Amino acid sequence: MPRPFYQHIDRQLSKPDLPSKKHILFILHDQLNLSAFPDELLRRKPLLLFVESAEKGNSLPYHKKKLTYVLSSQRHFAIACAEQGYEVCYHATKGHYDDGLQEIMDQAPQAHFHFMTPSEWSTRQRLYQLKKHHSERFTELPNTFFMADADQWKGKVSANFVMETFYREMRQQTGYLMDDQGKPAGGEWNFDELNRKKLPKGKSGPQVPEFQPDAITSEVMELVEDQFPDHFGSTEGFSYPVTRQQALDAADHFFQYRLPEFGPYEDAMAAGEYTLFHSKLSLHLNNGLLLPEELCNRAVSMYEDGLAPIQSVEGFIRQIIGWREYIKIYYEAMMPEVREANHFGFTESLPEMFWTGKTDMKCMQECLKPVLDDGYSHHIPRLMVLSNFSNLTRTNPYQLFLWFWYAYVDAYEWVVLPNVLGMSTYADGGVLASKPYAAGGNYINKMSDYCNHCSYSISKKTGDQACPFNYLYWNFVGDFPEVFSGSGRSSFMTSMWNKKSDEEKHQIRESSRKFLDSLKRYDDTEFGEEV
Ligand SMILES: Cc1cc2nc3c(=O)[nH]c(=O)nc-3n(C[C@H](O)[C@H](O)[C@H](O)COP(=O)(O)OP(=O)(O)OC[C@H]3O[C@@H](n4cnc5c(N)ncnc54)[C@H](O)[C@@H]3O)c2cc1C
Ligand code: SF4
């Protein structure tokens, strides 16, 4: 009799005879690619074990589309493994992953278990506890979903270990975009200067392909709506790829139609344009449906075949072998203490608009909408609008980190924590970034068309009609001059603040006080105790 919400799984996978099993390979929801596992182990045809954990799903109010993506991808992958001739056990537990594993261990007393080091800290610690108590029953495999060996690099993590140094080393190691003399292709390591174009009026990004839910995904959507009713967002309109083939098709579309213009418009934002020329592939890289090497190889071959310019291909490669890998190394070096990091000591709860999307600020509306709808936005809305606003409104960085973690489809702790507590909020005090991402409305106006449609005025500096980013930014510089007093443009900002008249400073303080006092906050402190 099929279990409710598991009818397709139960019909398509036969029940394994657990007591007789000798080798079981436990595959986590973010390790969905057999080519990452050792051939030698796979040749022995171990039973493949997948676990759905209700406790993990409930540990944060994860976006319903994220839960749908994670569970549906895992179910499709489990069925695809069975079609390749593997025996599969698909287990649902009320507990966490270790509880699920223990339940199967009890039913398979003869089995030896293999698992790959989990990318996320809590799951890793849980499996380590289990392994500690049953060391003879476990073999741990190194995590091969990343291109750099974190153990080799993590000792270097400090304020002096900049991404650029690491990235150049990775370029040399991989040979991506390197010429025969060992020099960077195109004569430069970095084409960022060419990659800061605003989207011209009337131009839009190509339509991103949508994948209609099949019967398996539809069943997962029903489960999510039934069992996680109060979570963020909705399952309605779910159209993400959930199989390897669909993810490959989505990647094809990116390479064909978006990569050539990825570079020039990498930092652009525009009303109603949520993906522009970005890949929207992070969710598949982060659960294994796609591998970083295959995307890099494809991008490099597009450059070599003259199908995409160097500034786009270099920009894309930099994100993957540079930022993505560097972020993972930072996570390995800084956990678990960094979870407590809060350089400025901000204690305010998340602004309520992060849950409702309701605000008069056009930029915030536009940057929150795709997150509420789809659990996605590209890098610049995450950094320069949402994190910027959180910083300027003195929001507790831990709450922002949790929000990014549950609201985004591509978020796993190893990637979201460094990006929020390191890169965007400066909570770590400057290990990852040299200053917090804080900026006035002019930056947003320069990179988008939002201000043309806003009820606030970008040209007004203080008062009820003025753009809140304008006065909140100076209020921030005035309160924390030390973080802006380094060098270059930042120190220029401190001296500009110092040159403002007392009256101007008073107006800035007053406008900020009024705005911050009236800002509605959302209390989600109950979340995140056990993730
Ligand atoms: C506050 C904040 C939170 C973020 N949270 C996440 C997250 O939870 N998950 C996540 O994958 N990325 C996160 N990022 C990084 C980046 O914004 C996303 O990877 C990117 O926007 C995903 O969209 P895309 O696939 O269209 O990316 P593209 O612009 O097409 O970039 C290509 C790929 O490069 C990788 N990449 C680029 N920048 C980063 C980075 N800083 N860290 C890690 N990988 C990177 C991603 O895998 C991405 O798919 C965050 C950034 C910020 C500032
Ligand atoms: S005017 Fe200010 S609040 Fe309005 S869209 Fe522009 S930056 Fe955002």
Side-chain angles (χ1 to χ4, degrees):
M1 175 74 178
R3 300 167 281 179
F5 304 119
Y6 289 84
Q7 305 214 3
H8 289 276
I9 279 284
D10 286 350
R11 266 193 223 117
Q12 294 189 49
L13 301 176
S14 44
K15 221 170 162 33
D17 175 30
L18 289 172
S20 68
K21 294 300 153 206
K22 294 277 186 316
H23 285 282
I24 297 185
L25 170 58
F26 172 45
I27 300 183
L28 277 163
H29 62 286
D30 58 354
Q31 300 172 346
L32 306 183
N33 202 316
L34 287 186
S35 64
F37 291 87
D39 280 344
E40 195 210 336
L41 174 61
L42 295 180
R43 271 199 294 275
R44 280 147 72 187
K45 288 278 165 175
L47 172 86
L48 305 186
L49 169 64
F50 297 88
V51 173
E52 279 188 16
S53 153
E55 189 178 330
K56 172 72 175 166
N58 265 317
S59 60
L60 286 173
Y62 292 113
H63 198 305
K64 291 179 187 170
K65 285 203 175 74
K66 176 180 194 161
L67 289 170
T68 303
Y69 174 70
V70 168
L71 300 181
S72 180
S73 303
Q74 178 169 284
R75 290 182 183 199
H76 279 91
F77 181 71
I79 291 168
C81 290
E83 284 165 0
Q84 281 178 50
Y86 289 93
E87 218 184 336
V88 171
C89 172
Y90 202 92
H91 180 60
T93 178
K94 288 198 172 80
H96 213 291
Y97 287 112
D98 54 330
D99 301 309
L101 197 47
Q102 180 71 68
E103 285 151 16
I104 299 297
M105 285 169 73
D106 294 345
Q107 294 177 52
Q110 297 192 54
H112 187 81
F113 287 78
H114 306 256
F115 71 92
M116 185 182 278
T117 311
S119 301
E120 288 193 319
W121 191 262
S122 298
T123 305
R124 192 185 302 172
Q125 299 315 314
R126 284 170 176 275
L127 295 199
Y128 282 179
Q129 273 304 104
L130 208 53
K131 188 177 146 202
K132 203 167 128 196
H133 291 116
H134 307 274
S135 55
E136 71 298 342
R137 297 198 67 188
F138 280 104
T139 298
E140 183 181 358
L141 308 165
N143 189 315
T144 53
F145 282 93
F146 296 88
M147 293 173 72
D149 177 2
D151 286 340
Q152 182 202 325
W153 287 96
K154 68 181 188 192
K156 291 188 192 283
V157 170
S158 72
N160 300 321
F161 176 60
V162 292
M163 198 288 285
E164 188 64 30
T165 316
F166 167 74
Y167 168 63
R168 290 183 189 188
E169 184 91 15
M170 285 296 284
R171 285 272 295 277
Q172 277 159 335
Q173 255 182 42
T174 57
Y176 291 141
L177 299 177
M178 300 301 292
D179 70 16
D180 296 342
Q181 274 81 48
K183 299 246 163 47
E188 304 285 344
W189 291 101
N190 179 323
F191 295 86
D192 270 358
E193 285 301 319
L194 302 174
N195 287 354
R196 295 194 182 124
K197 276 193 175 172
K198 187 170 179 164
L199 196 73
K201 216 171 173 188
K203 187 173 175 76
S204 52
Q207 181 74 37
V208 176
E210 295 186 348
F211 298 81
Q212 290 320 307
D214 63 5
I216 297 171
T217 302
S218 301
E219 193 177 31
V220 172
M221 287 161 73
E222 281 170 30
L223 175 147
V224 169
E225 290 293 353
D226 185 80
Q227 303 198 356
F228 305 93
D230 300 327
H231 279 224
F232 196 77
S234 152
T235 57
E236 213 181 304
F238 181 90
S239 61
Y240 281 118
V242 289
T243 64
R244 163 119 174 121
Q245 190 52 54
Q246 290 178 345
L248 285 169
D249 293 346
D252 260 354
H253 188 276
F254 164 67
F255 287 114
Q256 223 180 322
Y257 300 106
R258 283 173 278 153
L259 177 66
E261 295 192 90
F262 171 85
Y265 301 112
E266 201 177 339
D267 288 1
M269 299 180 285
E273 291 282 336
Y274 303 118
T275 309
L276 285 173
F277 299 92
H278 290 268
S279 68
K280 214 172 184 178
L281 296 177
S282 47
L283 71 169
H284 311 309
L285 281 172
N286 296 351
N287 77 343
L289 288 188
L290 297 178
L291 298 173
E293 303 86 318
E294 59 190 351
L295 297 187
C296 292
N297 290 339
R298 177 82 184 269
V300 169
S301 70
M302 296 259 314
Y303 168 66
E304 289 170 351
D305 296 344
L307 297 172
I310 185 73
Q311 76 207 70
S312 288
V313 176
E314 188 282 315
F316 183 69
I317 295 279
R318 164 184 297 267
Q319 303 312 312
I320 303 218
I321 65 167
W323 279 113
R324 186 170 186 272
E325 296 291 332
Y326 177 78
I327 285 291
K328 177 64 164 45
I329 291 164
Y330 171 99
Y331 180 71
E332 295 300 342
M334 301 287 286
M335 281 296 283
E337 295 77 9
V338 65
R339 274 187 184 157
E340 312 288 323
N342 187 350
H343 177 79
F344 296 110
F346 293 152
T347 52
E348 293 288 354
S349 301
L350 201 67
E352 195 179 72
M353 65 177 83
F354 280 69
W355 265 73
T356 62
K358 292 203 172 82
T359 161
D360 292 335
M361 302 168 78
K362 183 69 177 172
C363 54
M364 292 298 290
Q365 282 170 22
E366 283 291 318
C367 294
L368 287 167
K369 183 173 170 19
V371 190
L372 288 156
D373 288 352
D374 272 337
Y376 174 80
S377 65
H378 72 73
H379 190 66
I380 301 302
R382 297 188 206 205
L383 188 66
M384 295 308 302
V385 182
L386 301 176
S387 299
N388 183 9
F389 186 70
S390 171
N391 290 334
L392 297 185
T393 56
R394 324 284 166 109
T395 303
N396 182 339
Y398 188 76
Q399 286 210 19
L400 181 73
F401 148 62
L402 292 183
W403 180 81
F404 269 105
W405 191 356
Y406 59 72
Y408 277 79
V409 178
D410 61 10
Y412 295 82
E413 191 186 36
W414 66 264
V415 58
V416 69
L417 178 145
N419 272 297
V420 179
L421 299 184
M423 184 184 298
S424 75
T425 62
Y426 196 78
D428 70 3
V431 179
L432 200 148
S434 57
K435 62 176 180 56
Y437 276 83
N442 282 344
Y443 175 85
I444 296 170
N445 194 27
K446 194 170 124 207
M447 294 316 301
S448 76
D449 61 354
Y450 300 151
C451 305
N452 303 340
H453 313 283
C454 185
S455 48
Y456 292 101
S457 164
I458 186 67
S459 58
K460 293 205 168 87
K461 303 299 171 209
T462 52
D464 291 348
Q465 287 308 306
C467 165
F469 278 99
N470 285 345
Y471 48 78
L472 290 173
Y473 172 67
W474 285 114
N475 192 41
F476 194 88
V477 174
D479 280 351
F480 304 105
E482 69 288 352
V483 295
F484 293 96
S485 61
S487 59
R489 197 170 154 70
S490 303
S491 64
F492 176 64
M493 290 305 167
T494 325
S495 57
M496 274 186 61
W497 167 255
N498 290 335
K499 282 185 195 142
K500 287 187 189 297
S501 67
D502 286 350
E503 175 53 24
E504 210 179 335
K505 285 182 179 166
H506 174 73
Q507 295 295 337
I508 287 168
R509 297 297 198 190
E510 267 309 290
S511 296
S512 301
R513 188 192 53 73
K514 229 170 136 184
F515 182 89
L516 292 173
D517 282 354
S518 65
L519 186 66
K520 286 200 185 125
R521 304 278 181 170
Y522 175 82
D523 189 4
D524 62 359
T525 39
E526 80 222 55
F527 299 121
E529 289 302 317
E530 181 50 76
V531 287

